[in-house]
């Protein structure tokens, strides 16, 4: 797989997150997607993960992921990002800073490692990218 193909994959993945294009999830994920999240490792199918994303978007309105730095290769990628959303009860803006690494197999996301900082955390707004895969 080429680096450009992986960029195209993450351009589609950004549409899933920002435009709620859940119909793209199956084309973005391997049949089993392994997620290492905090103290838990779990496996999900594309259908299960699409349902989780839809529920997360309802629970956290106006979710946006802003990328500040990334590296993409032919079979790996990592992103330093802020996650922003509105609290559904108060409408207040919420945030969490994080890092996420992905392993790609056959053009689809196969495995990810996610590390989030405490609620309310955010990286400085220096280096904000227009799109997740913006060239630096």
């Amino acid at each position: 797989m080429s680096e450009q193909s992986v960029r195209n994959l993450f351009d589609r993945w950004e549409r899933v997150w920002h435009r709620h294009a859940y119909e793209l999830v199956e084309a973005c994920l391997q049949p089993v997607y392994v997620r290492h999240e905090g103290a838990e490792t779990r496996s999900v199918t594309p259908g299960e993960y699409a349902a989780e994303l839809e529920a997360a978007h309802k629970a956290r309105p106006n979710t946006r992921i802003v990328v500040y730095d990334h590296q993409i290769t032919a079979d790996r990628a990592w992103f330093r990002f802020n996650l922003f959303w509105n609290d559904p009860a108060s409408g207040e803006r919420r945030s969490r800073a994080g890092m996420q690494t992905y392993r790609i197999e056959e053009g689809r996301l196969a495995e990810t490692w996610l590390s989030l900082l405490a609620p309310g955390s955010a990286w400085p707004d220096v280096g904000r990218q227009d799109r997740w895969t913006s060239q630096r």
Side-chain angles (χ1 to χ4, degrees):
M1 187 155 197
S2 71
E3 185 178 313
Q4 185 58 51
S5 296
V6 175
R7 283 187 188 286
N8 294 342
L9 169 63
F10 280 100
D11 287 342
R12 287 190 308 275
W13 198 231
E14 183 175 8
R15 288 196 308 269
V16 170
W17 275 92
H18 289 169
R19 296 185 191 160
H20 304 174
Y22 306 119
E23 70 279 3
L24 297 176
V25 172
E26 188 169 345
C28 291
L29 301 183
Q30 284 291 324
V32 175
Y33 179 45
V34 179
R35 297 186 51 83
H36 305 279
E37 308 167 314
E40 177 182 50
T41 295
R42 61 195 185 93
S43 298
V44 293
T45 67
E48 291 167 340
Y49 200 59
E52 286 182 24
L53 291 176
E54 189 170 2
H57 283 126
K58 288 178 184 171
R60 295 185 307 228
N62 302 316
T63 297
R64 294 298 292 174
I65 297 171
V66 177
V67 171
Y68 294 91
D69 197 11
H70 73 278
Q71 178 73 44
I72 293 173
T73 68
D75 67 349
R76 303 266 193 269
W78 63 262
F79 296 86
R80 181 174 62 87
F81 64 91
N82 281 335
L83 175 64
F84 296 103
W85 71 95
N86 292 94
D87 181 275
S90 68
E92 291 180 36
R93 193 80 164 144
R94 303 287 187 209
S95 67
R96 284 189 90 170
M99 297 278 298
Q100 191 159 7
T101 303
Y102 295 88
R103 182 174 61 80
I104 294 107
E105 264 182 24
E106 300 170 350
R108 296 180 182 187
L109 303 176
E111 190 170 14
T112 188
W113 293 261
L114 175 63
S115 178
L116 292 170
L117 299 179
S121 60
W123 302 111
D125 211 21
V126 176
R128 178 184 178 134
Q129 299 177 185
D130 292 331
R131 302 204 45 219
W132 291 5
T133 59
S134 293
Q135 299 288 338
R136 291 182 263 160

